[in-house]
Amino acid sequence: MAGSDPTGEWTRDFTEEEIAQEKAHVQRVINAFLSYRAHALQRVSRALDNYHKLPSRHQKMLTGHAQHLATVRATVETNHLFVKTIVDKAAGMFEDDPSITIPDPMLGGFQQQLASGFDMEKVKTTIKQFYRDWSSEGQAERDTCYKPIIDEIKERFPPDKCVPSEVNVLVPGAGLGRLAWEIAQLGYCCQGNEFSMYMLFSSHYILNEVKEANMITIHPWLLHFNNSMSYHHQLCGVKIPDVVPTDLPSYGLFSMAAGDFLEVYTRPDEWDCVATCYFMDTAHNIVAYLENIFYILKPGGYWINFGPLLYHFADMPNELSIELCYDEVHRIARDEIGFQFLEEHTGMKSSYISDPNSMMQMTYNCVFSVATKPPTTVHTTK
């Protein structure tokens, strides 16, 4: 899929080989979404088989276990229908790109295969992302990381001292789009950028196809068999979205652009603010991210960052990954690239798609920082 800039123009055309790879990847993602039911039922069947292997006296002690697994099996259908709807609605993403089509598995011509464990983790994570970004239950988690960014934008660009719609804010790694949507809700002109096709399928659905609040129920923790405090917590459903995604103050303030951040955003001095949340550690080379953020910011513009450094490619075979400590990231951003840091707070505690009722909780000690590109910056070359 070609990436687009804020004006809606294509930034570049892909080669035939790249288009073929993209089509194959789209089908792989579709296959993963459509494999959810089989994967989930397989997991439930394994749990049930283990139950039946117990001595009969132990089975009698587990008075509610078999019934619980039967309920989990039945509830799988709700999540399956949800992810299938995401796929069904994804065709609208490719209206301007006839080289990519969404096959209908019911019509043949699409060979369904059980997706890999890696791909299924992506699907399960996507379901949990909806909990984080678009449920009222996810509000507390959003507040730990989105609220500092939003408050900082309001402080740097006060609505009573500027025209918010003339302030261009970029949110790379936008995921399901909630942070970018919240910024646009305040009247700023905000664009989210996302590379993951799982996120792009899902954000397209929630942002363009869902017209009512709380119209969908999902079960984000359904396949969490470990560290469950009660069967009820594993089964609990949440309603999404907690707001109406199409309810924005003005048309044109919010958009999403697909593609690699380093490829899509190549124009200097274009953005008033770049807001990164749990994004910087998605880089193969974090220095390239720092350089590009600096390059595309207007002189005097702001980079607002929140997150840890859980480098996504650190343990993946055959993937480039440069893992720097935060002190080194800060030094390079300041001394080598030219950012001037205005604020920096360490130890900002935040969780990420965490089940609040789980017996295991993971908390990140994040950094929240605000840096500016000096007003006198002049680019000669990137």
Side-chain angles (χ1 to χ4, degrees):
M1 186 192 306
S4 62
D5 66 26
T7 65
E9 298 172 354
W10 297 119
T11 56
R12 74 176 179 93
D13 294 323
F14 282 174
T15 65
E16 290 185 5
E17 180 180 358
E18 288 174 322
I19 291 174
Q21 291 173 349
E22 184 75 0
K23 291 173 69 175
H25 181 62
V26 167
Q27 293 198 4
R28 177 178 169 181
V29 172
I30 293 170
N31 185 68
F33 276 118
L34 298 179
S35 292
Y36 176 83
R37 175 199 273 153
H39 171 84
L41 293 180
Q42 190 178 74
R43 178 63 181 89
V44 176
S45 294
R46 188 167 85 245
L48 194 58
D49 288 345
N50 289 336
Y51 167 76
H52 286 303
K53 289 176 183 177
L54 294 176
S56 59
R57 69 181 187 279
H58 290 172
Q59 290 186 32
K60 291 178 181 178
M61 293 179 188
L62 276 61
T63 54
H65 191 64
Q67 180 57 50
H68 169 66
L69 293 178
T71 306
V72 172
R73 178 190 292 274
T75 308
V76 163
E77 190 66 17
T78 301
N79 280 358
H80 163 71
L81 291 175
F82 173 64
V83 296
K84 183 179 182 300
T85 302
I86 291 173
V87 173
D88 291 342
K89 299 297 184 180
M93 293 173 54
F94 305 106
E95 290 176 348
D96 297 325
D97 191 351
S99 66
I100 297 178
T101 58
I102 303 296
D104 186 340
M106 303 302 294
L107 299 179
F110 180 73
Q111 299 300 314
Q112 175 72 44
Q113 299 176 345
L114 190 62
S116 67
F118 177 84
D119 288 340
M120 289 315 306
E121 283 302 315
K122 295 283 190 181
V123 174
K124 290 186 286 185
T125 297
T126 299
I127 295 173
K128 290 182 284 189
Q129 286 278 4
F130 278 98
Y131 162 86
R132 171 183 168 86
D133 260 18
W134 294 102
S135 77
S136 58
E137 290 84 351
Q139 182 71 52
E141 190 172 281
R142 292 196 299 273
D143 282 348
T144 63
C145 51
Y146 293 173
K147 190 175 185 299
I149 292 173
I150 292 168
D151 288 347
E152 194 66 35
I153 290 173
K154 290 191 293 185
E155 181 176 335
R156 301 293 170 178
F157 304 98
D160 60 339
K161 296 182 180 179
C162 71
V163 180
S165 62
E166 296 179 358
V167 177
N168 293 316
V169 181
L170 174 65
V171 180
L176 296 184
R178 183 60 181 259
L179 175 58
W181 183 89
E182 292 281 1
I183 295 169
Q185 264 286 323
L186 296 173
Y188 300 102
C189 186
C190 188
Q191 181 170 92
N193 165 238
E194 181 54 51
F195 179 75
S196 166
M197 195 62 70
Y198 294 92
M199 293 292 105
L200 289 168
F201 273 37
S202 301
S203 63
H204 172 81
Y205 171 61
I206 198 73
L207 294 169
N208 296 288
E209 303 292 341
V210 179
K211 310 297 184 183
E212 298 177 24
N214 300 315
M215 64 177 287
I216 302 162
T217 298
I218 60 172
H219 300 267
W221 322 115
L222 187 62
L223 299 183
H224 282 206
F225 288 89
N226 295 327
N227 290 305
S228 182
M229 196 69 185
S230 76
Y231 288 153
H232 168 74
H233 290 154
Q234 183 181 0
L235 290 166
C236 70
V238 298
K239 291 187 178 298
I240 59 169
D242 60 319
V243 294
V244 180
T246 54
D247 185 13
L248 288 168
S250 177
Y251 178 78
L253 290 180
F254 176 59
S255 62
M256 290 284 287
D260 188 308
F261 167 65
L262 297 177
E263 295 182 357
V264 175
Y265 300 96
T266 59
R267 294 180 178 177
D269 307 335
E270 186 168 17
W271 296 91
D272 297 290
C273 178
V274 176
T276 54
C277 185
Y278 278 84
F279 172 70
M280 298 303 293
D281 55 5
T282 67
H284 290 278
N285 173 9
I286 194 170
V287 179
Y289 273 15
L290 293 170
E291 283 185 330
N292 205 47
I293 292 170
F294 189 84
Y295 186 72
I296 65 177
L297 274 174
K298 295 177 182 178
Y302 298 98
W303 168 40
I304 304 173
N305 177 60
F306 186 103
L309 289 175
L310 181 66
Y311 291 103
H312 289 207
F313 297 99
D315 298 312
M316 294 182 64
N318 305 315
E319 292 284 359
L320 172 68
S321 181
I322 306 299
E323 298 104 25
L324 305 179
C325 68
Y326 178 74
D327 285 347
E328 186 70 350
V329 173
H330 177 101
R331 183 194 65 80
I332 292 170
R334 182 193 63 215
D335 298 343
E336 305 293 339
I337 295 176
F339 278 109
Q340 294 178 354
F341 280 81
L342 307 175
E343 291 186 39
E344 189 173 53
H345 307 279
T346 60
M348 301 281 288
K349 295 190 180 301
S350 173
S351 59
Y352 194 86
I353 55 173
S354 177
D355 177 359
N357 295 307
S358 174
M359 299 172 71
M360 184 188 76
Q361 298 293 327
M362 178 178 289
T363 302
Y364 294 98
N365 287 320
C366 296
V367 172
F368 174 65
S369 61
V370 182
T372 187
K373 177 177 177 176
T376 56
T377 301
V378 177
H379 295 291
T380 55
T381 183
K382 187 176 179 181

